[in-house]
């Protein structure tokens, strides 16, 4: 090709590049048509020309198992114009060899529906991993001859990163049973110039959690599925936070919780000292970022007869009843709901006072838990059937009470009903389930009866009558027998 042809080719390539940079495009990229059993398949959502603000769930694929997500971003400057590209990748692992069909699917990205036609992927036997030279699409410069630079080696420099890895908690001191919200996150300053990227995050996170998960705690996991940057201001400086794990831990005893120092390995690229337009401008390297160790002081609850049984949290009562007036023998349907912030799963049934005049049957229970921000919130509801046996006025606060410890007030508190029942009708005290005698039910009498062995002398007269009857019967039988003879 002569020099004029090279110039024309360069101009055409330049125009194509500028057009691509100015375009705003959202796309879905699927992995290869064939993978080995020990290789992963990926689905990537890529956004160019705008910020990746939101996206919904990646599809579930029969024959594949999800194995975490990763995200990356890059910024390019060309002829004074800035082009940003962001992507998030869902990784899948094949369950077995064979053919996996990925049906067409849609993902909502930045409020727009982006469709993929799907495809068929062939899964073959696992392949032996070999040390191969990594393919580098930017390893050579097709226009080196045009610019006359030859094949000299590119020098790279390590740019100091403005980023850190941290384990943070919302409290430094808690009571036994009080929640500690714990977050593992990677922080990147808006002023950072060093290119960074996550890698093998699922494997790393599994090892990290084995080290930091405390013993003797109840865990409420916030289940982070998608790692997205969240803006935050620290000491007047803006950062993007990438949360990789978040959970609330509720200590079951007063042993201090110790979080050790853990490391997260990141891909950190070295940048070419003299970048070329089409050449290799960065080189992959690795750096491990370490969190600082942290200890949470756990305090025992103040002395109380129920200190080892009560729930801990900030709760309020939500109650309902179908009626406050009824006849003896009719039932009330009563709902006692404990709502608030704390370990909802640990809430036990309220204390019930037993009374022969007001029978309260064991409840059905239901719980709803929400994990939001840095709190675990929810409601645990107990549904009761209450049957009055005697007319009168009954204050439910005397019969059903929920005692708990409020760490905000640093004191024990009690939730009790505001309902007052008005019962009319005749007494059921002299009646049993099957119209038993006035002495009452067997189970009502059993507590008042003696358990000593007694001799039943009152029945001697009955024995005498029976013996006389037997003698008379025997005499009549003998008389009839001899008469016939």
């Amino acid at each position: 090709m002569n020099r004029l042809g090279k110039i024309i080719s360069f101009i055409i390539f330049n125009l194509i590049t500028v057009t691509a940079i100015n375009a705003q495009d959202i796309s879905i990229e699927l992995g290869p048509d064939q993978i080995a059993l020990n290789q992963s398949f990926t689905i990537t959502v890529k956004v160019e020309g705008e910020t990746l603000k939101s996206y919904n769930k990646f599809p579930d694929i029969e024959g594949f198992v999800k194995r975490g997500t990763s995200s990356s971003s890059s910024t390019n400057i060309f002829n004074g114009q800035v082009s940003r590209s962001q992507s998030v990748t869902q990784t899948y692992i094949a369950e077995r060899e064979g053919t996996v069909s990925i049906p067409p699917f849609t993902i909502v990205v930045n409020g727009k529906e982006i469709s993929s036609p799907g495809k068929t992927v062939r899964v073959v036997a696992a392949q032996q991993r070999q040390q191969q030279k990594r393919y580098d699409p930017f390893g050579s410069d097709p226009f080196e001859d045009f610019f006359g630079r030859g094949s000299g080696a590119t020098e790279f420099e390590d740019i100091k990163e403005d980023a850190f890895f941290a384990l943070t908690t919302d409290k430094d001191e808690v009571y036994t049973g009080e929640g500690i919200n714990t977050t593992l996150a990677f922080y990147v300053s808006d002023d950072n110039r060093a290119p960074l990227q996550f890698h093998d995050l699922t494997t790393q996170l599994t090892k990290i959690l084995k080290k930091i998960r405390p013993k003797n705690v109840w865990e409420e996991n916030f289940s982070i599925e998608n790692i997205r940057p969240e803006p935050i201001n620290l000491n007047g400086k803006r950062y993007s936070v990438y949360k990789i794990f978040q959970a609330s831990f509720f200590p079951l005893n007063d042993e201090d919780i110790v979080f050790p120092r853990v490391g997260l390995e990141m891909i950190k690229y070295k940048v070419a000292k003299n970048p070329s337009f089409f050449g290799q401008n960065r080189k992959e390297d690795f750096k491990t970022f370490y969190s600082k160790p942290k200890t949470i002081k756990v305090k025992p609850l103040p002395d109380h007869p129920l200190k080892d049984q009560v729930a801990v949290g900030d709760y309020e009562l939500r109650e309902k009843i179908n009626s406050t007036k009824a006849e003896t023998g009719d039932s009330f349907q009563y709902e006692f709901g404990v709502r608030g912030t704390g370990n909802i799963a640990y809430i036990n049934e309220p204390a019930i006072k037993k009374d022969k005049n007001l029978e309260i049957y064991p409840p059905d229970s239901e719980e709803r838990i929400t994990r939001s921000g840095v709190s675990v919130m929810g409601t645990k509801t107990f549904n009761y059937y209450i049957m009055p046996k005697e007319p009168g006025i009954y204050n439910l606060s005397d019969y059903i009470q929920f005692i708990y410890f409020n760490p905000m007030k640093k004191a024990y508190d009690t939730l009790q009903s505001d309902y007052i029942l008005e019962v009319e009708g005749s007494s059921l005290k002299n009646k049993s389930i099957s119209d038993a005698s006035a002495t009452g039910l067997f189970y009502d009498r059993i507590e008042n009866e003696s358990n000593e062995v007694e001799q039943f002398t009152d029945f001697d007269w009955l024995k005498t009558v029976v013996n006389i009857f037997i003698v008379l019967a025997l005499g009549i039988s003998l008389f009839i027998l001899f008469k016939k003879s």
Side-chain angles (χ1 to χ4, degrees):
M1 183 182 292
N2 55 27
R3 187 174 182 82
L4 178 60
K6 289 183 178 181
I7 294 174
I8 294 174
S9 299
F10 173 71
I11 293 173
I12 293 174
F13 187 88
N14 190 16
L15 290 173
I16 293 173
T17 304
V18 173
T19 303
I21 290 176
N22 289 331
Q24 294 185 356
D25 186 38
I26 303 176
S27 61
I28 297 177
E29 299 177 0
L30 304 181
D33 297 336
Q34 178 175 303
I35 61 171
L37 193 59
N38 58 343
Q39 295 176 335
S40 61
F41 181 81
T42 59
I43 298 179
T44 301
V45 171
K46 190 173 184 180
V47 176
E48 296 182 351
E50 59 179 301
T51 302
L52 178 57
K53 300 176 182 177
S54 64
Y55 60 93
N56 63 349
K57 184 180 177 182
F58 281 85
D60 295 322
I61 303 173
E62 186 175 354
F64 281 159
V65 178
K66 288 182 177 179
R67 281 293 183 268
T69 59
S70 61
S71 60
S72 63
S73 61
S74 63
T75 302
N76 298 315
I77 302 177
F78 182 77
N79 287 347
Q81 297 192 26
V82 180
S83 173
R84 292 182 175 86
S85 174
Q86 289 181 272
S87 65
V88 59
T89 300
Q90 174 69 60
T91 301
Y92 296 84
I93 300 297
E95 295 181 308
R96 64 188 69 87
E97 296 180 35
T99 300
V100 176
S101 177
I102 302 176
F105 62 90
T106 299
I107 300 179
V108 179
V109 184
N110 290 353
K112 305 172 186 176
E113 290 190 354
I114 309 300
S115 299
S116 172
K119 68 185 304 182
T120 299
V121 180
R122 186 181 172 206
V123 181
V124 298
Q127 297 179 355
Q128 184 177 359
R129 299 184 182 275
Q130 299 178 354
Q131 295 293 331
Q132 296 179 349
K133 183 179 179 181
R134 179 177 295 182
Y135 171 69
D136 187 351
F138 302 103
S140 60
D141 189 344
F143 291 87
E144 280 183 343
D145 292 337
F146 179 79
F147 290 102
R149 285 198 304 269
S151 57
T154 303
E155 291 188 54
F156 296 92
E157 61 178 338
D158 187 6
I159 298 177
K160 176 64 178 175
E161 73 284 344
D162 192 352
F164 63 93
F165 180 52
L167 182 148
T168 58
T169 60
D170 63 332
K171 305 181 187 76
D172 296 326
E173 186 178 82
V174 294
Y175 284 99
T176 302
E178 182 182 359
I180 315 147
N181 190 266
T182 306
T183 303
L184 270 174
F186 193 72
Y187 297 74
V188 182
S189 167
D190 287 1
D191 298 329
N192 176 66
R193 293 177 53 246
L196 298 165
Q197 185 176 321
F198 291 107
H199 85 99
D200 200 13
L201 190 57
T202 302
T203 302
Q204 288 197 75
L205 186 58
T206 300
K207 295 178 180 179
I208 290 172
L209 294 183
K210 286 183 179 179
K211 296 179 181 179
I212 70 164
R213 271 196 170 115
K215 297 179 180 179
N216 299 320
V217 300
W218 179 277
E219 178 182 330
E220 288 288 348
N221 197 314
F222 280 55
S223 301
I224 297 176
E225 295 183 355
N226 301 316
I227 300 177
R228 306 177 185 178
E230 300 177 11
I232 192 174
N233 195 303
L234 294 176
N235 300 322
K237 192 172 183 178
R238 290 183 59 81
Y239 287 84
S240 291
V241 182
Y242 297 85
K243 292 182 181 179
I244 64 173
F245 173 78
Q246 184 178 2
S248 283
F249 297 118
F250 298 87
L252 302 178
N253 55 36
D254 57 3
E255 294 180 6
D256 291 348
I257 295 177
V258 179
F259 296 108
R261 176 177 181 258
V262 289
L264 177 68
E265 188 179 59
M266 298 285 293
I267 298 175
K268 181 184 177 184
Y269 293 95
K270 293 183 177 180
V271 179
K273 289 185 177 180
N274 299 307
S276 63
F277 186 75
F278 295 103
Q280 182 183 7
N281 291 327
R282 63 182 187 176
K283 181 180 179 181
E284 184 178 283
D285 200 359
F286 297 90
K287 179 169 182 177
T288 301
F289 295 80
Y290 290 94
S291 66
K292 294 180 180 180
K294 188 165 189 176
T295 299
I296 304 298
K297 174 70 176 175
V298 180
K299 302 177 293 184
L301 296 181
D303 289 337
H304 189 277
L306 301 175
K307 65 176 289 186
D308 297 326
Q309 303 175 32
V310 299
V312 178
D314 186 8
Y315 300 118
E316 62 180 5
L317 174 62
R318 294 295 178 91
E319 58 177 348
K320 295 180 183 177
I321 197 167
N322 63 334
S323 175
T324 56
K325 296 181 179 181
E327 298 280 338
T328 53
D330 294 338
S331 63
F332 295 93
Q333 295 181 20
Y334 175 63
E335 181 180 290
F336 189 99
V338 181
R339 178 182 179 182
T341 302
N343 189 357
I344 306 300
Y346 193 72
I347 293 176
N348 295 320
E349 181 184 343
I352 303 297
K353 175 186 174 183
K354 294 184 178 180
D355 190 332
K356 296 179 182 180
N357 296 332
L358 192 68
E359 188 169 357
I360 303 176
Y361 294 93
D364 296 324
S365 64
E366 178 184 0
E367 68 180 40
R368 296 180 181 179
I369 300 176
T370 303
R371 304 163 191 87
S372 177
V374 296
S375 301
V376 176
M377 302 172 290
T379 304
K380 193 158 190 176
T381 305
F382 301 91
N383 296 293
Y384 294 90
Y385 280 96
I386 303 174
M387 179 178 291
K389 294 183 176 180
E390 289 291 312
I393 303 298
Y394 299 91
N395 193 330
L396 278 185
S397 62
D398 297 333
Y399 291 87
I400 303 177
Q401 295 183 345
F402 177 77
I403 302 173
Y404 69 100
F405 180 77
N406 190 327
M408 307 295 291
K409 299 178 180 178
K410 301 180 181 180
Y412 292 91
D413 205 345
T414 302
L415 300 181
Q416 51 191 7
S417 176
D418 290 330
Y419 287 122
I420 297 176
L421 308 184
E422 299 179 20
V423 180
E424 298 179 348
S426 59
S427 172
L428 300 182
K429 189 174 183 179
N430 298 326
K431 293 184 179 180
S432 67
I433 296 176
S434 58
D435 292 328
S437 64
T439 55
L441 295 174
F442 171 76
Y443 291 104
D444 293 333
R445 297 169 53 195
I446 194 169
E447 294 181 357
N448 300 321
E449 295 294 331
S450 172
N451 60 357
E452 295 182 359
V453 178
E454 296 182 1
Q455 185 176 1
F456 294 96
T457 56
D458 295 338
F459 292 96
D460 288 345
W461 62 271
L462 182 60
K463 292 180 182 179
T464 303
V465 173
V466 172
N467 290 333
I468 294 173
F469 176 78
I470 293 173
V471 172
L472 289 176
L474 182 60
I476 294 173
S477 299
L478 291 174
F479 173 76
I480 296 173
L481 181 63
F482 283 118
K483 187 177 180 180
K484 287 185 178 180
S485 302

